[in-house]
Amino acid sequence: MATKRLEAFADGVFAIAATLLIIDVTADAHGGALGAELRHAWPQYAAYGVSFVTIGIMWVNHHTCLELIERADRRFLFINVALLACIAFVPFPTRLIAEHLRDDGLRAAAVTYGLTMTATAICFAAFWFYAATGRRLIAEAADQRLVSGISRSYLPGAPIYGTSTLVALVSPTASVILFAAIALFYVLESSLFAREAPSGFEPL
Amino acid sequence: MATKRLEAFADGVFAIAATLLIIDVTADAHGGALGAELRHAWPQYAAYGVSFVTIGIMWVNHHTCLELIERADRRFLFINVALLACIAFVPFPTRLIAEHLRDDGLRAAAVTYGLTMTATAICFAAFWFYAATGRRLIAEAADQRLVSGISRSYLPGAPIYGTSTLVALVSPTASVILFAAIALFYVLESSLFAREAPSGFEPL
Amino acid sequence: MATKRLEAFADGVFAIAATLLIIDVTADAHGGALGAELRHAWPQYAAYGVSFVTIGIMWVNHHTCLELIERADRRFLFINVALLACIAFVPFPTRLIAEHLRDDGLRAAAVTYGLTMTATAICFAAFWFYAATGRRLIAEAADQRLVSGISRSYLPGAPIYGTSTLVALVSPTASVILFAAIALFYVLESSLFAREAPSGFEPL
Amino acid sequence: MATKRLEAFADGVFAIAATLLIIDVTADAHGGALGAELRHAWPQYAAYGVSFVTIGIMWVNHHTCLELIERADRRFLFINVALLACIAFVPFPTRLIAEHLRDDGLRAAAVTYGLTMTATAICFAAFWFYAATGRRLIAEAADQRLVSGISRSYLPGAPIYGTSTLVALVSPTASVILFAAIALFYVLESSLFAREAPSGFEPL
């Protein structure tokens, strides 16, 4: 079957997961204290922004993969359900980090975030390699160099996030910096990747 | 009329129902107690996962049916509204079970879950048999063996969930294990079904 | 322009508005008291069901209209935004009625519900008559008898809801019964309407 | 690639952002006090309405732009993610203004609203000018006068909102009136714009 309805369900989950975090952005001060409260609550806004962008990157990557995939079978749909369950979970540990950035809970928050991202990376790899192995679900017209390029770029995800999770056990602060660096790298890499795509093939 | 817009509305409800449970996933401990709080709150995460996967399975099944259905009339739309209302309700009893897994409220939670799933199974059967009886809304090209196969697979749903609900009255713990087994069975059965589809027909 | 993207946005709002009410369905009792709490909280579940079905009916009607409409202009989009704002507001007064069904707040709740439904009916009429007057946005192929039939069926909406709101001032209980009767009538009328559509024209 | 899936994701975020504010609309009074509570809470309803209409206007504008855009690249997707993150943030400062309309917190609330709208206007301009510069992503068939018209109309957005934010520092009340006037202007301007589009080209 075509991937059209998978995209509709996925887009819905991505949109909701990205947007839901705004529910947690609050400022309960009364009267003149509101300004101070808003300045103090900056980690909340940062968590909203980071979470939205993280899910946005995943949406772009999911999108890029599905551009090359032309069929879906039931097992592929179930892998997608698992992947989307991980992605929709991301706002929770992101919020935990924001709330505990300045107290002793940062270690537990960073480990939770790391485990979530590691699970997400594993599901993302399962999603892609299930479709790409032997070109099982890949469109005939898709350039094999592009398929191989995505395969290469998906291999390091889980080990990188797994290692960062171990770092969180030793130094929560270091791991948070690492998580931010990884997210930034993915944004930049996406732009570079777009520029270096083999000529004659639309990279997205 | 075509089923395109029905799919859009349904995908939206499925996506929101699956994702909304993340709102209830919380951890309110302060400072160093966060780790213990997160470990203690595992039923919350399990409820999120089970609920997401349950709704994901329903989405796959709804999807499979609509692949064979090419028309909709107003009564079919209303049946869909009732079905979606049941499905969007599922996260509530799932959360109840998670919250009361370790206290005396498990019986009431399991009965609520069982009644919800029984009602959902009845609506799912109404949805399918309304479309399939006399091939009322079925696409001309759809293989009758596939239509009959789905009809057979939808008959036991309501009795199985109804019986499990009665089990909950006697032994809540047994019924929770039963509910988990049914969900697992549907995931595995979907994979088997995909493998055994009549040759020459794309099973999804 | 085509109405495709209007449908996507509308389907999203309908799906979210229908599903969001589940957030308010709660049961906070501990341990063995859960059963009694769940039985006591039935107005919550009724409110969820009524709200979901009400929004489902509006979705079906919005859908039916757009089947006949083939173009949209900016003013039509803004009318739709106003209509969707009313529809997404419906869960709030529905919940108010459920919460105050057994106390003195029912009058205020019923008036709020009535005003919301009156505003929604006015927006629905504006939506349809903007499109239908002089067949401004109607598809060439659409049967004029069908267009006129919808026009006739949309005229009484606002007066009926307005009158029911006035009834709420005198007898809140009577108005709640009236609101339920109107919703039931719309479900039944939709089925009848589907049966009586002029032959040779697909009624949806 | 085509812009179809970008539209699906964007429509989801718009729909959720517009609808979510209903969660914050509450009335917690008991019994006979509900009427007074509902009358007192009017800024909540106003915030819901203003926020819904504001996001509705942005949806119409986003829509209008994408009608002229026929391709997307990865950088354009990321700009969209940033734009949508701003738009989904809008309900938060809108709610702040509603809550603090009658106390000393209005200055901080109005500044937050102004900064959000300024950031949104900057992202909207980046979104449009990235696509329109050298007609990078514009459809061949799109009328250059229409493209230039949108470019002209997008230039003043950020300066206007930036100035209004500065006004908020001096007089919060004046800035709130200004924000309302800007929103009203955009609704009216959209209607005028629709009427003055060059003949022979469908303005939306």
Side-chain angles (χ1 to χ4, degrees):
Chain A
M1 57 143 219
T3 58
K4 199 176 56 92
R5 210 179 153 191
L6 168 58
E7 292 179 13
F9 179 64
D11 285 342
V13 173
F14 278 112
I16 297 155
T19 313
L20 264 190
L21 210 66
I22 197 65
I23 290 181
D24 296 308
V25 174
T26 50
D28 284 334
H30 289 284
L34 181 64
E37 165 74 17
L38 287 172
R39 277 188 297 274
H40 183 74
W42 69 263
Q44 275 192 334
Y45 316 136
Y48 169 79
V50 169
S51 177
F52 204 105
V53 169
T54 304
I55 290 173
I57 295 169
M58 291 178 189
W59 172 70
V60 173
N61 287 337
H62 194 254
H63 194 145
T64 305
C65 292
L66 280 183
E67 288 283 312
L68 300 172
I69 294 171
E70 71 173 357
R71 291 181 304 279
D73 58 25
R74 282 172 88 94
R75 257 159 287 173
F76 189 63
L77 293 189
F78 283 118
I79 295 171
N80 263 281
V81 168
L83 172 59
L84 293 172
C86 289
I87 290 169
F89 197 78
V90 167
F92 170 63
T94 307
R95 197 177 61 202
L96 280 185
I97 288 185
E99 281 168 5
H100 295 276
L101 206 53
R102 293 171 290 203
D103 71 36
D104 281 356
L106 188 56
R107 174 163 290 123
V111 169
T112 308
Y113 182 91
L115 290 174
T116 304
M117 295 307 281
T118 307
T120 307
I122 290 171
C123 285
F124 237 126
F127 158 80
W128 174 250
F129 288 110
Y130 181 81
T133 303
R135 296 177 69 96
R136 185 186 280 128
L137 307 173
I138 301 292
E140 292 242 340
D143 188 321
Q144 182 58 36
R145 282 169 299 171
L146 205 64
V147 173
S148 306
I150 293 181
S151 294
R152 266 195 310 276
S153 77
Y154 273 35
L155 279 177
I160 287 175
Y161 274 114
T163 309
S164 305
T165 310
L166 294 177
V167 170
L169 291 171
V170 184
S171 166
T173 311
S175 74
V176 170
I177 295 168
L178 213 51
F179 292 139
I182 296 170
L184 192 65
F185 168 78
Y186 275 119
V187 173
L188 297 177
E189 187 264 352
S190 288
S191 309
L192 291 172
F193 180 66
R195 230 178 294 139
E196 288 169 3
S199 65
F201 195 95
E202 188 69 40
L204 200 64
Chain B
M1 57 142 219
T3 58
K4 200 178 55 96
R5 208 177 156 192
L6 168 58
E7 291 179 13
F9 180 64
D11 285 342
V13 172
F14 278 111
I16 297 155
T19 312
L20 264 190
L21 208 67
I22 198 65
I23 290 181
D24 296 308
V25 174
T26 49
D28 284 335
H30 289 283
L34 180 64
E37 165 75 17
L38 286 171
R39 277 189 296 275
H40 183 75
W42 70 263
Q44 275 192 334
Y45 315 137
Y48 169 80
V50 168
S51 177
F52 204 105
V53 169
T54 304
I55 291 173
I57 294 170
M58 291 178 188
W59 172 72
V60 172
N61 287 336
H62 193 254
H63 194 146
T64 304
C65 292
L66 280 182
E67 288 282 312
L68 301 171
I69 295 170
E70 71 174 357
R71 291 181 304 279
D73 59 23
R74 283 172 87 94
R75 258 160 286 173
F76 188 63
L77 293 189
F78 283 118
I79 294 171
N80 264 280
V81 168
L83 172 60
L84 293 171
C86 288
I87 290 169
F89 196 78
V90 167
F92 171 63
T94 307
R95 197 177 60 201
L96 280 185
I97 288 185
E99 279 168 7
H100 295 277
L101 206 54
R102 293 172 288 204
D103 70 36
D104 281 356
L106 187 57
R107 174 164 290 122
V111 169
T112 308
Y113 183 90
L115 290 175
T116 305
M117 295 306 282
T118 307
T120 306
I122 290 170
C123 286
F124 236 126
F127 157 80
W128 175 249
F129 288 110
Y130 181 81
T133 304
R135 295 178 69 97
R136 186 187 279 127
L137 308 173
I138 302 292
E140 292 242 341
D143 188 320
Q144 182 58 34
R145 282 169 300 172
L146 206 63
V147 173
S148 305
I150 293 182
S151 294
R152 266 194 310 277
S153 76
Y154 272 35
L155 280 177
I160 287 176
Y161 274 115
T163 309
S164 306
T165 309
L166 294 177
V167 170
L169 291 171
V170 183
S171 166
T173 311
S175 73
V176 169
I177 295 168
L178 213 52
F179 292 139
I182 296 170
L184 193 65
F185 168 78
Y186 275 118
V187 173
L188 296 178
E189 187 264 351
S190 289
S191 308
L192 291 173
F193 179 67
R195 230 179 293 139
E196 288 168 3
S199 65
F201 194 95
E202 189 69 40
L204 200 66
Chain C
M1 57 141 217
T3 58
K4 198 177 56 93
R5 207 177 155 192
L6 168 58
E7 292 180 12
F9 179 64
D11 285 341
V13 173
F14 278 112
I16 298 155
T19 312
L20 264 189
L21 208 68
I22 198 65
I23 290 182
D24 296 307
V25 174
T26 50
D28 285 333
H30 290 284
L34 181 64
E37 166 74 18
L38 287 171
R39 277 188 297 275
H40 183 75
W42 70 263
Q44 275 192 335
Y45 315 137
Y48 168 79
V50 169
S51 177
F52 204 105
V53 169
T54 305
I55 290 173
I57 294 169
M58 291 178 188
W59 172 72
V60 172
N61 287 336
H62 193 254
H63 194 145
T64 304
C65 293
L66 281 183
E67 289 282 312
L68 301 171
I69 295 171
E70 71 174 357
R71 291 181 303 280
D73 58 24
R74 283 172 87 94
R75 257 159 289 175
F76 188 64
L77 293 189
F78 283 118
I79 294 171
N80 263 280
V81 168
L83 172 59
L84 293 172
C86 288
I87 289 169
F89 197 77
V90 167
F92 171 63
T94 307
R95 198 176 59 201
L96 280 185
I97 288 185
E99 281 168 5
H100 296 277
L101 205 53
R102 293 172 288 204
D103 72 35
D104 281 357
L106 188 57
R107 174 163 290 122
V111 169
T112 308
Y113 182 90
L115 290 175
T116 304
M117 294 307 281
T118 307
T120 306
I122 290 170
C123 285
F124 237 126
F127 157 80
W128 174 250
F129 288 110
Y130 181 82
T133 304
R135 295 177 68 96
R136 186 187 278 129
L137 307 174
I138 302 292
E140 293 242 339
D143 188 320
Q144 182 58 34
R145 282 169 300 171
L146 205 64
V147 173
S148 305
I150 293 182
S151 294
R152 267 194 310 276
S153 76
Y154 272 36
L155 279 178
I160 286 175
Y161 274 114
T163 309
S164 305
T165 308
L166 294 177
V167 169
L169 291 170
V170 183
S171 166
T173 310
S175 73
V176 170
I177 294 168
L178 213 52
F179 292 139
I182 297 170
L184 192 65
F185 168 77
Y186 274 119
V187 173
L188 296 178
E189 187 263 352
S190 288
S191 309
L192 292 172
F193 178 68
R195 229 177 295 140
E196 289 168 2
S199 65
F201 194 94
E202 188 69 42
L204 199 69
Chain D
M1 58 143 218
T3 58
K4 200 178 55 94
R5 207 177 155 192
L6 168 58
E7 292 179 14
F9 180 65
D11 285 341
V13 172
F14 278 112
I16 298 155
T19 312
L20 265 189
L21 209 67
I22 198 65
I23 289 182
D24 296 307
V25 174
T26 49
D28 284 334
H30 290 284
L34 181 64
E37 165 74 16
L38 287 171
R39 277 188 297 277
H40 183 76
W42 70 263
Q44 274 192 336
Y45 316 136
Y48 169 79
V50 169
S51 176
F52 204 105
V53 169
T54 305
I55 290 173
I57 295 170
M58 291 179 189
W59 171 72
V60 173
N61 287 337
H62 193 255
H63 194 144
T64 305
C65 293
L66 281 183
E67 287 283 312
L68 301 171
I69 294 171
E70 71 173 358
R71 289 181 304 279
D73 58 24
R74 282 173 87 94
R75 257 159 287 174
F76 188 64
L77 293 189
F78 283 118
I79 294 171
N80 264 280
V81 168
L83 172 59
L84 293 171
C86 289
I87 290 168
F89 196 78
V90 166
F92 170 63
T94 308
R95 197 177 60 202
L96 280 184
I97 288 185
E99 280 168 6
H100 295 276
L101 205 53
R102 294 172 288 203
D103 71 36
D104 282 356
L106 188 57
R107 174 164 289 122
V111 169
T112 308
Y113 183 90
L115 290 175
T116 304
M117 294 307 281
T118 307
T120 306
I122 290 171
C123 285
F124 236 126
F127 157 80
W128 174 250
F129 288 109
Y130 181 81
T133 305
R135 295 177 69 97
R136 186 186 279 128
L137 307 173
I138 301 292
E140 292 243 338
D143 188 320
Q144 182 57 36
R145 281 169 300 171
L146 205 64
V147 173
S148 305
I150 293 181
S151 293
R152 266 195 310 276
S153 76
Y154 272 35
L155 280 177
I160 287 175
Y161 274 114
T163 309
S164 305
T165 309
L166 294 177
V167 169
L169 291 170
V170 183
S171 166
T173 310
S175 73
V176 169
I177 294 167
L178 213 52
F179 292 138
I182 296 170
L184 193 65
F185 168 78
Y186 275 118
V187 174
L188 297 177
E189 188 263 351
S190 288
S191 309
L192 292 171
F193 179 68
R195 228 178 295 138
E196 288 169 2
S199 65
F201 194 95
E202 189 69 41
L204 199 67

